Amino acid sequence: MSTSNTVKGCCPLDCQDTCAWVAHVDDGRVTKVQGAAEHPITRGVLCAKVNDYQARTYAPDRLLHPLRRSGPKGSGNFERITWDEALDSIAERFTAIIDEHGPGALLPMFYLGSMGVVQRHAPMRLFNGLGACRLHGEVCGASMSALYAEGHPVGFDPEEMAQSRYIILWGINMLSTCHHHWQFIKEARERHGARVVCIDPRRTRTAAQCDEHIAIRPGSDAILAAGMAHVMLAEGLADLDFARATAADLDDFSGQVAAWTPERVAQACGIGAQTVVRLAREFAAARPAVLRAGVAPQQTVRGEAFVRSLSALAMLGGHWKHRGGGLFIFDAPAFDEFAAGRSDLAPGPQRSIDLSALGQALTDIDPPIKGLMVWCMNPAVIQVDSGRVRRGLAREDLFTVVLEHFMTDTARYADIVLPATTQLEHFDVVGAWGHHYLTVNNPAIAPLGETKSHGEIMRLLAPRLGLDHAAFNESDEEIAAATLPDGLSLGDLKRDGWKKLSPPRPDPSQGPAVLRFAGDDPTPLPTGGLRLLTPKSHYFLNSSFANMPRQRKAQGAPVLEMHPDDAGCLGLENGQLVAISNQRGEVRANLQVSDTIVAGAVTLVGKWWSEPAETAALANMLTPSLWSAGGQPAYNDTFVSVEAVTA
Ligand SMILES: Nc1nc2c(c(=O)[nH]1)N[C@H]1C(S)=C(S)[C@@H](COP(=O)(O)OP(=O)(O)OC[C@H]3O[C@@H](n4cnc5c(=O)[nH]c(N)nc54)[C@H](O)[C@@H]3O)O[C@H]1N2
Ligand SMILES: Nc1nc2c(c(=O)[nH]1)N[C@H]1C(S)=C(S)[C@@H](COP(=O)(O)OP(=O)(O)OC[C@H]3O[C@@H](n4cnc5c(=O)[nH]c(N)nc54)[C@H](O)[C@@H]3O)O[C@H]1N2
Ligand code: SF4
Ligand SMILES: [Mo]
């Protein structure tokens, strides 16, 4: 007899939308995932990356058994072993490292491969319990986090955005990276004719749908913001009472932007002076306006200047007074995600390592890291200066464990690889970074092969490492329950699927007037070649899905976008194979000559894997070991030469 049922779950990926889905199970096999129709953000649709998520679970190259390295690090040669062998050898090596070097020689490394609280944080219980290293920092949005820590509000309920009258999409490719947010923009346009302006060096699919596209020179955004503030102050358009209630240094800020006349701004940004003036007037006159900013413009050594100047602009306009107005980069449901990792289990102070600087941590710190466990991150592909990361991972005296779904570039460097469950096979609770809903993920099927959830891996390793607190015995559901706020039970969440947990709306007009608007240098690093931008691709999520046949086919081969003026100067032609290089390395791609990118910059979309070799356009082999003051890796401060490949 055949059986069919549906299971309420959600997408685990690092995306602002955190969609709720319904998994359809026929005879024990997931046949499709569908966006939950009643979810206020998802509204029945997933995205081009995830709408066949079950293909990831059932992929023929999925890791289903523990593996031990049987060739040189990075070679990808492994042999199958049992779970007992894998767990015993991890415990043995970690214990030996602690005995010889202390727990500070053990490094966990994770990011947002899954945003589920169990998959993300359960293994941290082991590292906390051992008193090993903990992590700080971000690979993404670190500048925003730094400003938020200073007290700048950086988001509000995005559903309010339907009430906005004027929307600036500032360095965000919404239709690719968080398309559910576009629904609110569409509504604002339909309801009251909101005007939508996109500021991006590229004419993206999002820019093409806006009322106006301002093709700015990359890295010059803080200058444009200073120019807009200059015009607002000079023409008496600023809400000075509001700005005074929030800023500690309004006079310094006024002095700083006085120098940025529209003409000077126009020259620095590669746009018209009249555009600067008009943008400032429109932004000041709208009630309310929102600055909806993305991640790429933060990815420079001046990342904080970008975020700070946008925050100042939103305050100067007084836009926070109205629903639908202010600055939006990030917002999240109010729950305690980090409770799942139990930092209270630490026996004493822990060494803290910047998670965005793994290359440094593995090649240049004293005392050195001797043991590493990586989960939910593919650092050999996504961290800056990944050649350095790979040199670190290749160290013979480093013992590395990687938890993964696939044999990624990072997993190839592991001594032991542990096969992790996918979202269809485990229980989890997932937050969001672009809305206020907390969403449950019920398992649709039993784990395939010998795969295990991260909670299970934690429970199996703990006794072998001599850890015996009750926290190491908690089930995945118990681990997740620790993150819920008072008044919300796991049972309710499982029944309803999701729960809106809005934090209070920021009200900066209440003061105190402590925020700093001035001080950052808005000028970009001087160019040393063509500036290489490496934004998100439509069909991959960072490096995830770059191995999946459907997504690869849809994305096509790696392409370098270049303006016709630059191609002309370099004597390069559309469709040609080119080498993109600097002192750190060289990668290859097909040239696409097009005015969809400003002159002086080139774009390489997508985080590709080193296999297969024909598509191994590893952008981070070119990016520098450089960070902003707030710790943001400066992916976009990369300068390259481009030449034809002749042989
Ligand atoms: N399809 C897809 N969706 C994703 C992801 C993905 O990989 N693929 N990744 C997820 C993650 S981790 C994140 S952080 C978000 C990021 O989402 P977004 O912020 O939308 O993405 P980015 O690619 O970082 O950059 C957005 C835009 O900024 C532009 N840009 C680059 N440099 C500059 C500059 O100096 N000034 C200005 N004004 N614009 C600039 C780029 O051309 C790009 O179009 O997306 C998430 N969603
Ligand atoms: N040049 C350049 N570099 C960038 C960026 C850029 O724009 N340009 N963007 C940066 C940004 S914004 C971000 S957020 C980072 C993203 O960097 P990462 O967080 O490393 O993102 P992914 O590349 O998607 O890799 C996540 C890995 O986690 C694995 N994974 C998924 N779910 C699970 C699970 O449940 N268990 C385990 N064990 N593994 C799982 C996936 O298979 C995948 O290999 O990249 C950064 N790097
Ligand atoms: S990646 Fe984003 S848009 Fe796509 S299904 Fe997941 S949460 Fe939704
Ligand atoms: Mo990100």
Side-chain angles (χ1 to χ4, degrees):
M1 199 181 69
S2 70
T3 61
S4 290
N5 63 304
T6 57
V7 179
K8 280 183 186 159
C10 66
C11 174
L13 297 177
D14 180 6
C15 160
Q16 297 206 281
D17 294 3
T18 306
C19 289
W21 72 31
V22 178
H24 294 253
V25 189
D26 295 310
D27 295 329
R29 194 177 166 91
V30 179
T31 48
K32 67 175 171 188
V33 287
Q34 249 180 339
E38 330 77 71
H39 189 276
I41 308 286
T42 310
R43 300 190 193 178
V45 283
L46 299 174
C47 70
K49 306 173 286 289
V50 173
N51 57 24
D52 63 347
Y53 184 89
Q54 75 281 1
R56 181 177 174 90
T57 300
Y58 296 114
D61 51 340
R62 172 93 190 276
L63 297 171
L64 296 175
H65 309 283
L67 300 171
R68 175 167 49 212
R69 182 167 63 86
S70 59
K73 292 198 176 198
S75 68
N77 294 331
F78 288 89
E79 63 190 10
R80 183 172 163 182
I81 55 173
T82 66
W83 269 100
D84 276 335
E85 286 173 298
L87 296 165
D88 288 344
S89 57
I90 294 167
E92 195 185 305
R93 286 297 299 267
F94 277 7
T95 306
I97 289 167
I98 293 171
D99 289 348
E100 196 178 339
H101 306 279
L106 284 183
L107 179 67
M109 185 55 47
F110 65 100
Y111 202 57
L112 289 164
S114 164
M115 301 213 311
V117 298
V118 181
Q119 291 299 92
R120 219 184 152 206
H121 297 289
M124 236 2 255
R125 291 189 173 194
L126 300 171
F127 291 87
N128 286 329
L130 293 168
C133 294
R134 59 189 176 85
L135 297 174
H136 64 266
E138 301 278 348
V139 272
C140 167
S143 301
M144 179 213 70
S145 299
L147 268 281
Y148 181 74
E150 285 181 29
H152 288 256
V154 294
F156 54 86
D157 185 345
E159 293 172 75
E160 287 180 20
M161 235 169 272
Q163 299 174 45
S164 308
R165 301 272 165 169
Y166 192 78
I167 300 161
I168 301 185
L169 300 180
W170 204 318
I172 181 165
N173 185 6
M174 188 175 273
L175 285 173
S176 283
T177 60
C178 50
H179 77 85
H180 296 84
H181 283 241
W182 185 261
Q183 302 172 122
F184 307 120
I185 290 174
K186 208 168 147 235
E187 243 172 86
R189 276 175 146 176
E190 285 165 5
R191 273 205 220 166
H192 43 251
R195 184 171 171 81
V196 188
V197 178
C198 179
I199 303 177
D200 196 309
R202 299 161 57 220
R203 192 162 68 243
T204 58
R205 65 172 76 210
T206 307
Q209 296 299 317
C210 292
D211 298 303
E212 180 177 4
H213 171 214
I214 298 172
I216 194 171
R217 184 169 294 148
S220 67
D221 303 270
I223 295 177
L224 175 54
M228 289 170 67
H230 171 106
V231 173
M232 286 165 73
L233 289 165
E235 298 189 358
L237 307 173
D239 187 337
L240 288 177
D241 289 342
F242 190 90
R244 255 191 219 106
T246 64
D249 60 351
L250 192 59
D251 293 339
D252 292 348
F253 179 71
S254 303
Q256 184 175 311
V257 301
W260 291 105
T261 61
E263 293 68 28
R264 234 185 118 206
V265 170
Q267 206 169 30
C269 299
I271 63 179
Q274 266 318 305
T275 306
V276 181
V277 175
R278 183 173 46 78
L279 207 60
R281 289 178 184 160
E282 289 174 358
F283 174 74
R287 285 288 171 271
V290 61
L291 301 176
R292 176 64 169 98
V295 167
Q298 298 178 51
Q299 295 174 339
T300 78
V301 291
R302 305 269 199 260
E304 290 78 58
F306 169 68
V307 184
R308 190 183 302 283
S309 63
L310 263 54
S311 178
L313 210 50
M315 302 290 185
L316 216 54
H319 293 299
W320 281 104
K321 280 197 252 181
H322 313 277
R323 284 170 66 83
L327 169 66
F328 189 108
I329 309 178
F330 168 104
D331 215 17
F335 79 120
D336 189 6
E337 166 172 0
F338 285 86
R342 295 292 302 263
S343 54
D344 59 295
L345 295 171
Q350 290 163 280
R351 185 181 186 189
S352 186
I353 300 287
D354 183 346
L355 68 83
S356 79
L358 182 62
Q360 235 170 22
L362 294 183
T363 58
D364 193 23
I365 58 167
D366 192 39
I369 299 299
K370 293 287 188 177
L372 173 69
M373 184 187 277
V374 184
W375 66 94
C376 295
M377 195 203 253
N378 188 8
V381 172
I382 66 86
Q383 292 228 1
V384 278
D385 199 355
S386 57
R388 185 177 181 188
V389 174
R390 286 164 194 246
R391 286 193 295 281
L393 290 171
R395 267 175 42 203
E396 276 306 323
D397 65 328
L398 177 74
F399 175 71
T400 302
V401 181
V402 176
L403 283 55
E404 253 300 348
H405 296 154
F406 294 102
M407 187 53 73
T408 59
D409 282 22
T410 303
R412 294 166 78 92
Y413 285 92
D415 293 280
I416 303 277
V417 179
L418 299 179
T421 41
T422 66
Q423 193 77 341
L424 294 172
E425 303 158 288
H426 56 234
F427 177 85
D428 219 329
V429 164
V430 183
W433 61 280
H435 62 67
H436 290 170
Y437 296 87
L438 186 66
T439 312
V440 78
N441 182 69
N442 296 294
I445 53 168
L448 297 189
E450 295 179 356
T451 60
K452 293 189 191 299
S453 77
H454 293 189
E456 181 69 8
I457 293 171
M458 181 275 292
R459 289 186 291 275
L460 290 168
L461 270 173
R464 289 172 160 89
L465 289 164
L467 297 166
D468 66 359
H469 190 279
F472 300 110
N473 283 323
E474 282 185 5
S475 68
D476 290 3
E477 292 199 9
E478 286 169 322
I479 294 169
T483 68
L484 302 184
D486 288 343
L488 177 64
S489 75
L490 201 60
D492 291 347
L493 196 61
K494 283 166 75 171
R495 185 194 61 226
D496 299 340
W498 55 84
K499 173 83 178 168
K500 190 170 190 179
L501 297 170
S502 291
R505 191 181 203 281
D507 184 3
S509 69
Q510 298 303 306
V514 293
L515 300 183
R516 206 162 57 72
F517 286 7
D520 294 327
D521 180 357
T523 56
L525 288 190
T527 55
L530 290 161
R531 184 184 289 268
L532 176 69
L533 304 179
T534 53
K536 313 301 184 197
S537 53
H538 191 69
Y539 294 97
F540 305 159
L541 197 124
N542 297 308
S543 73
S544 298
F545 302 110
N547 63 321
M548 297 295 297
R550 178 186 66 80
Q551 286 87 339
R552 281 179 68 85
K553 184 157 179 257
Q555 191 62 41
V559 157
L560 187 77
E561 252 182 307
M562 181 186 277
H563 191 274
D565 291 354
D566 291 324
C569 284
L570 295 168
L572 295 171
E573 281 170 27
N574 191 44
Q576 203 166 14
L577 183 66
V578 291
I580 312 149
S581 65
N582 60 20
Q583 67 273 34
R584 282 172 294 279
E586 176 188 300
V587 304
R588 293 176 175 200
N590 293 314
L591 191 70
Q592 184 179 308
V593 179
S594 161
D595 67 359
T596 50
I597 175 76
V598 298
V602 288
T603 311
L604 176 62
V605 165
K607 312 290 169 294
W608 303 85
W609 296 21
S610 35
E611 298 259 314
E614 313 85 80
T615 57
L618 294 158
N620 283 316
M621 295 304 276
L622 303 169
T623 57
S625 280
L626 264 184
W627 290 262
S628 73
Q632 173 59 45
Y635 295 107
N636 290 335
D637 281 320
T638 304
F639 301 99
V640 295
S641 324
V642 179
E643 52 192 40
V645 173
T646 40

